[in-house]
Amino acid sequence: TEAPRPAPEPSAQSLPAMGRALLKLWLCELWVLLLDAGVDAKLLPHEEDVYFINEYVNLHNELRGNVFPQGSNLRFMTWDVALSRTARAWGKKCSHERNPYLGKPYMAHPKFNDIGENMWIGLENEFTASIAIRSWYKEKTRYHIENDSCSRDCSNYKQVVWNTSYKIGCAVTPCSRVGHITRAAVFICNYAPGGALSRRPYTPGVDCSQCNKYDRCTDYLCSNADRDEVIYYRFWYPRWEVPRPIVCDPLCLLTFFLRTLCFTVCVTAVLVIQSRFPNILLGEEMLFASEVVEVKPEKVEEKEEGIKGEKMKKEEEDKEKKEEEVEEEEEEEEEEEGEEEEEEEEEEEVEG
């Protein structure tokens, strides 16, 4: 009988195949873990998501139209993009505080100055617009419309059913932490015109009985086609938003176009001139060299004239010195002759 053959050792070629298999197995496990972790994950809606907008606008109108006691002068609400951008910008602060820019002109809206605000803060994976808005509306149990008083805070309810408000914009923002809540969602709704909340939010009575004469009754609310028109403020964003979205308005576009046009014209002109006059730079160099050559003889002549002038001055000075010396010698000789004559005269007088 033949001896049993030893088990073959893994070859060098089989090792890469085993590594690839282990890598695939590890990637599959990682994919399963990611899927399992993302089961409960939920992306928060963008402020301009149509379904999100319809959800909170329709719910507001439903609650306003079914107030008790009935309201005689509540207005129909429509969406406003500027209010939703303001809600998003402040939500990014991840703060409990009220937005301080709501009462400042053109800081929270390009048209309205007094803006109302409601805020909800909760767990991100539990957020829905319906839950947040109904929690505000539940504050009606604390409000007594007969004497316009609240047993506890009911400002959110009063803003939801404030009769003169007819524009609304909301946004939800994820925050890692707000107060004691981790992985929080900050849901803010802004209203225009905002409520002062210092009176009854509406006048009880028959539905739409106190609407303006140009209004019509829609879902038990006062609506007006001109007032309720949706205006999209394409280039408006809150100036205090950080980071600020990059927006180029018509003036910005015009400036960019003109600068591009000027640059293109300049480059084209340079290329055309260079193609038509290829030796223009060489000609400028030659002219410059000739000017240099012409300047040199002039400088030499000036130097020679200067040297000659200096020589002439020196010669004149020497002549003047010689003349002065000659005059001095002549004066000395005359003085000596005068002295001799005086001596002779004295001698003659003595002899006489």
Side-chain angles (χ1 to χ4, degrees):
T1 60
E2 296 182 358
R5 296 179 180 178
E9 297 181 356
S11 63
Q13 295 180 353
S14 64
L15 290 176
M18 293 173 63
R20 286 195 295 270
L22 291 173
L23 179 61
K24 288 181 180 178
L25 180 61
W26 181 80
L27 290 174
C28 290
E29 290 178 354
L30 179 61
W31 179 251
V32 171
L33 289 173
L34 291 174
L35 287 177
D36 185 44
V39 168
D40 296 329
K42 180 174 62 175
L43 293 176
L44 297 177
H46 190 267
E47 70 268 12
E48 295 187 24
D49 180 84
V50 175
Y51 297 101
F52 177 57
I53 293 169
N54 288 336
E55 180 183 8
Y56 67 75
V57 172
N58 292 340
L59 182 55
H60 270 82
N61 285 327
E62 177 185 343
L63 296 175
R64 289 164 68 87
N66 293 299
V67 291
F68 182 83
Q70 294 177 329
S72 61
N73 59 348
L74 276 84
R75 290 178 173 177
F76 187 83
M77 304 198 81
T78 53
W79 176 68
D80 187 276
V81 65
L83 293 176
S84 64
R85 289 172 181 168
T86 298
R88 178 203 62 204
W90 187 249
K92 287 158 62 175
K93 305 287 186 181
C94 296
S95 172
H96 284 283
E97 302 297 326
R98 175 180 167 82
N99 187 345
Y101 300 101
L102 296 180
K104 298 180 180 180
Y106 310 111
M107 297 295 285
H109 196 279
K111 178 181 176 182
F112 300 103
N113 292 332
D114 294 321
I115 309 297
E117 180 187 60
N118 277 350
M119 182 183 297
W120 178 91
I121 300 174
L123 293 174
E124 181 180 352
N125 58 0
E126 294 180 359
F127 166 77
T128 66
S130 177
I131 290 175
I133 295 167
R134 291 185 185 279
S135 70
W136 299 334
Y137 192 76
K138 285 180 181 178
E139 293 180 5
K140 69 178 181 179
T141 58
R142 311 173 186 172
Y143 178 66
H144 307 284
I145 196 169
E146 298 82 8
N147 55 7
D148 187 30
S149 63
C150 298
S151 58
R152 285 190 294 165
D153 180 41
C154 62
S155 57
N156 292 316
Y157 166 74
K158 293 182 72 174
Q159 180 59 79
V160 169
V161 297
W162 195 259
N163 64 326
T164 57
S165 298
Y166 62 92
K167 289 293 181 182
I168 183 173
C170 305
V172 58
T173 309
C175 294
S176 58
R177 187 179 186 86
V178 181
H180 63 279
I181 302 175
T182 56
R183 298 184 63 183
V186 178
F187 177 64
I188 298 175
C189 284
N190 287 330
Y191 305 83
L197 310 183
S198 58
R199 59 169 175 82
R200 290 185 178 88
Y202 64 91
T203 303
V206 179
D207 297 324
C208 302
S209 60
Q210 295 189 27
C211 294
N212 295 332
K213 62 179 180 179
Y214 299 107
D215 293 351
R216 63 178 182 175
C217 193
T218 303
D219 296 333
Y220 312 110
L221 301 170
C222 305
S223 64
N224 184 293
D226 296 331
R227 183 179 64 219
D228 299 335
E229 181 183 4
V230 175
I231 301 174
Y232 191 81
Y233 303 96
R234 183 177 180 183
F235 301 108
W236 187 90
Y237 286 85
R239 287 180 285 177
W240 42 268
E241 183 175 7
V242 179
R244 182 175 172 82
I246 299 175
V247 181
C248 193
D249 57 13
L251 180 59
C252 168
L253 293 173
L254 178 61
T255 304
F256 176 77
F257 172 75
L258 292 177
R259 288 184 175 180
T260 305
L261 180 63
C262 291
F263 177 76
T264 305
V265 170
C266 292
V267 171
T268 304
V270 170
L271 294 176
V272 169
I273 292 172
Q274 287 183 347
S275 62
R276 296 287 298 274
F277 306 99
N279 298 324
I280 187 169
L281 295 178
L282 181 61
E284 289 181 356
E285 291 178 357
M286 292 177 65
L287 289 173
F288 179 74
S290 63
E291 289 177 359
V292 172
V293 171
E294 289 176 359
V295 167
K296 284 183 178 178
E298 293 177 357
K299 290 183 177 179
V300 172
E301 290 177 358
E302 289 177 358
K303 288 182 179 180
E304 291 178 352
E305 290 178 356
I307 293 170
K308 289 180 180 180
E310 290 178 357
K311 287 182 178 180
M312 293 284 289
K313 286 180 180 179
K314 286 183 179 180
E315 290 177 356
E316 290 178 357
E317 289 176 356
D318 293 339
K319 285 181 180 181
E320 290 178 355
K321 286 181 180 180
K322 288 181 180 180
E323 289 177 355
E324 289 178 356
E325 290 177 356
V326 171
E327 289 178 356
E328 288 178 355
E329 290 176 357
E330 290 177 353
E331 289 177 355
E332 289 177 355
E333 288 177 357
E334 289 178 357
E335 288 178 357
E336 290 177 356
E337 290 177 356
E339 290 178 355
E340 290 177 356
E341 289 178 356
E342 289 178 357
E343 290 177 356
E344 290 176 356
E345 289 178 357
E346 289 177 356
E347 290 177 357
E348 288 177 358
E349 289 177 357
V350 171
E351 291 176 356

Short mmCIF file of all heavy atoms in Angstrom, two decimals, residues 44-59 79 84 129 170 230 232:
data_model
loop_
_atom_site.label_atom_id
_atom_site.label_comp_id
_atom_site.label_asym_id
_atom_site.label_seq_id
_atom_site.Cartn_x
_atom_site.Cartn_y
_atom_site.Cartn_z
N LEU A 44 -34.43 64.98 6.95
CA LEU A 44 -35.38 66.07 7.17
C LEU A 44 -35.66 66.78 5.86
O LEU A 44 -34.76 66.94 5.02
CB LEU A 44 -34.82 67.05 8.20
CG LEU A 44 -34.58 66.48 9.59
CD1 LEU A 44 -33.95 67.51 10.49
CD2 LEU A 44 -35.88 65.96 10.20
N PRO A 45 -36.89 67.24 5.63
CA PRO A 45 -37.25 67.84 4.34
C PRO A 45 -36.61 69.22 4.16
O PRO A 45 -36.35 69.95 5.13
CB PRO A 45 -38.77 67.95 4.41
CG PRO A 45 -39.08 68.00 5.86
CD PRO A 45 -38.04 67.16 6.55
N HIS A 46 -36.35 69.56 2.91
CA HIS A 46 -35.86 70.90 2.56
C HIS A 46 -37.01 71.89 2.68
O HIS A 46 -38.18 71.53 2.50
CB HIS A 46 -35.31 70.88 1.14
CG HIS A 46 -34.58 72.11 0.75
ND1 HIS A 46 -35.21 73.17 0.12
CD2 HIS A 46 -33.29 72.48 0.92
CE1 HIS A 46 -34.32 74.14 -0.09
NE2 HIS A 46 -33.15 73.74 0.38
N GLU A 47 -36.66 73.16 2.97
CA GLU A 47 -37.73 74.15 3.19
C GLU A 47 -38.56 74.44 1.94
O GLU A 47 -39.66 74.98 2.04
CB GLU A 47 -37.15 75.46 3.74
CG GLU A 47 -36.33 76.26 2.75
CD GLU A 47 -34.86 75.91 2.84
OE1 GLU A 47 -34.51 74.90 3.49
OE2 GLU A 47 -34.05 76.65 2.27
N GLU A 48 -38.04 74.08 0.76
CA GLU A 48 -38.80 74.31 -0.46
C GLU A 48 -39.36 73.02 -1.06
O GLU A 48 -39.76 72.99 -2.22
CB GLU A 48 -37.94 75.06 -1.49
CG GLU A 48 -37.54 76.46 -1.04
CD GLU A 48 -36.84 77.26 -2.12
OE1 GLU A 48 -37.05 76.94 -3.32
OE2 GLU A 48 -36.11 78.21 -1.79
N ASP A 49 -39.37 71.95 -0.25
CA ASP A 49 -39.97 70.70 -0.68
C ASP A 49 -41.50 70.86 -0.75
O ASP A 49 -42.13 71.29 0.21
CB ASP A 49 -39.60 69.58 0.30
CG ASP A 49 -40.20 68.26 -0.10
OD1 ASP A 49 -39.60 67.57 -0.94
OD2 ASP A 49 -41.29 67.90 0.40
N VAL A 50 -42.07 70.54 -1.90
CA VAL A 50 -43.49 70.80 -2.15
C VAL A 50 -44.38 70.04 -1.17
O VAL A 50 -45.35 70.60 -0.62
CB VAL A 50 -43.86 70.45 -3.60
CG1 VAL A 50 -45.36 70.61 -3.83
CG2 VAL A 50 -43.08 71.33 -4.57
N TYR A 51 -44.08 68.76 -0.92
CA TYR A 51 -44.92 67.97 -0.02
C TYR A 51 -44.84 68.52 1.41
O TYR A 51 -45.84 68.55 2.13
CB TYR A 51 -44.48 66.50 -0.06
CG TYR A 51 -44.65 65.88 -1.43
CD1 TYR A 51 -43.56 65.71 -2.28
CD2 TYR A 51 -45.90 65.47 -1.87
CE1 TYR A 51 -43.71 65.16 -3.54
CE2 TYR A 51 -46.07 64.90 -3.14
CZ TYR A 51 -44.96 64.75 -3.97
OH TYR A 51 -45.13 64.21 -5.21
N PHE A 52 -43.67 68.92 1.81
CA PHE A 52 -43.48 69.51 3.14
C PHE A 52 -44.28 70.80 3.26
O PHE A 52 -44.97 71.04 4.27
CB PHE A 52 -41.98 69.76 3.34
CG PHE A 52 -41.63 70.43 4.64
CD1 PHE A 52 -41.99 69.88 5.86
CD2 PHE A 52 -40.90 71.62 4.63
CE1 PHE A 52 -41.64 70.50 7.05
CE2 PHE A 52 -40.55 72.24 5.82
CZ PHE A 52 -40.93 71.68 7.03
N ILE A 53 -44.21 71.65 2.24
CA ILE A 53 -44.95 72.92 2.25
C ILE A 53 -46.45 72.67 2.33
O ILE A 53 -47.16 73.28 3.15
CB ILE A 53 -44.60 73.76 1.01
CG1 ILE A 53 -43.13 74.21 1.07
CG2 ILE A 53 -45.51 74.97 0.89
CD1 ILE A 53 -42.62 74.83 -0.22
N ASN A 54 -46.94 71.79 1.48
CA ASN A 54 -48.39 71.50 1.47
C ASN A 54 -48.84 70.94 2.82
O ASN A 54 -49.95 71.24 3.28
CB ASN A 54 -48.71 70.50 0.36
CG ASN A 54 -48.62 71.14 -1.02
OD1 ASN A 54 -48.75 72.35 -1.17
ND2 ASN A 54 -48.39 70.32 -2.04
N GLU A 55 -47.98 70.16 3.46
CA GLU A 55 -48.36 69.55 4.73
C GLU A 55 -48.63 70.62 5.78
O GLU A 55 -49.70 70.62 6.43
CB GLU A 55 -47.26 68.60 5.22
CG GLU A 55 -47.59 67.93 6.54
CD GLU A 55 -46.47 67.03 7.05
OE1 GLU A 55 -45.37 67.05 6.43
OE2 GLU A 55 -46.68 66.33 8.06
N TYR A 56 -47.68 71.54 5.97
CA TYR A 56 -47.89 72.50 7.07
C TYR A 56 -48.83 73.64 6.70
O TYR A 56 -49.54 74.16 7.56
CB TYR A 56 -46.56 73.02 7.62
CG TYR A 56 -45.72 73.89 6.71
CD1 TYR A 56 -46.05 75.22 6.45
CD2 TYR A 56 -44.54 73.40 6.16
CE1 TYR A 56 -45.25 76.03 5.66
CE2 TYR A 56 -43.72 74.20 5.37
CZ TYR A 56 -44.09 75.51 5.12
OH TYR A 56 -43.30 76.31 4.32
N VAL A 57 -48.90 74.03 5.42
CA VAL A 57 -49.84 75.08 5.03
C VAL A 57 -51.27 74.57 5.14
O VAL A 57 -52.16 75.24 5.71
CB VAL A 57 -49.54 75.58 3.61
CG1 VAL A 57 -50.64 76.54 3.15
CG2 VAL A 57 -48.19 76.31 3.57
N ASN A 58 -51.54 73.39 4.60
CA ASN A 58 -52.89 72.83 4.66
C ASN A 58 -53.34 72.57 6.09
O ASN A 58 -54.50 72.81 6.45
CB ASN A 58 -52.96 71.53 3.86
CG ASN A 58 -52.80 71.78 2.37
OD1 ASN A 58 -53.00 72.90 1.88
ND2 ASN A 58 -52.41 70.74 1.63
N LEU A 59 -52.41 72.12 6.94
CA LEU A 59 -52.78 71.84 8.33
C LEU A 59 -53.11 73.15 9.06
O LEU A 59 -54.06 73.20 9.85
CB LEU A 59 -51.63 71.11 9.04
CG LEU A 59 -51.90 70.73 10.49
CD1 LEU A 59 -53.18 69.90 10.63
CD2 LEU A 59 -50.70 69.95 11.07
N TRP A 79 -48.11 80.03 1.25
CA TRP A 79 -46.67 79.88 1.51
C TRP A 79 -45.89 81.12 1.07
O TRP A 79 -46.23 81.78 0.09
CB TRP A 79 -46.17 78.66 0.76
CG TRP A 79 -44.68 78.43 0.87
CD1 TRP A 79 -43.98 78.08 1.97
CD2 TRP A 79 -43.73 78.53 -0.20
NE1 TRP A 79 -42.65 77.95 1.68
CE2 TRP A 79 -42.46 78.21 0.34
CE3 TRP A 79 -43.82 78.84 -1.55
CZ2 TRP A 79 -41.29 78.20 -0.42
CZ3 TRP A 79 -42.66 78.82 -2.32
CH2 TRP A 79 -41.42 78.52 -1.76
N SER A 84 -39.71 81.17 4.94
CA SER A 84 -39.10 79.85 5.14
C SER A 84 -37.57 79.96 5.18
O SER A 84 -36.91 79.25 5.94
CB SER A 84 -39.53 78.88 4.04
OG SER A 84 -39.07 79.31 2.77
N ALA A 129 -44.08 67.54 10.67
CA ALA A 129 -44.68 68.87 10.77
C ALA A 129 -46.02 68.80 11.51
O ALA A 129 -46.36 69.71 12.28
CB ALA A 129 -44.87 69.45 9.38
N CYS A 170 -42.01 77.79 6.81
CA CYS A 170 -41.42 76.96 7.87
C CYS A 170 -40.17 76.26 7.36
O CYS A 170 -39.96 76.11 6.15
CB CYS A 170 -42.42 75.92 8.37
SG CYS A 170 -44.01 76.59 8.93
N VAL A 230 -48.63 83.92 -4.48
CA VAL A 230 -47.32 83.45 -4.02
C VAL A 230 -46.24 84.17 -4.81
O VAL A 230 -46.18 84.09 -6.03
CB VAL A 230 -47.19 81.93 -4.18
CG1 VAL A 230 -45.77 81.47 -3.80
CG2 VAL A 230 -48.22 81.21 -3.33
N TYR A 232 -42.20 84.60 -5.39
CA TYR A 232 -40.93 83.92 -5.16
C TYR A 232 -39.80 84.94 -5.21
O TYR A 232 -39.46 85.47 -6.26
CB TYR A 232 -40.70 82.83 -6.21
CG TYR A 232 -39.54 81.92 -5.88
CD1 TYR A 232 -39.69 80.87 -4.98
CD2 TYR A 232 -38.28 82.13 -6.45
CE1 TYR A 232 -38.63 80.04 -4.65
CE2 TYR A 232 -37.21 81.30 -6.12
CZ TYR A 232 -37.40 80.26 -5.23
OH TYR A 232 -36.35 79.45 -4.90
#
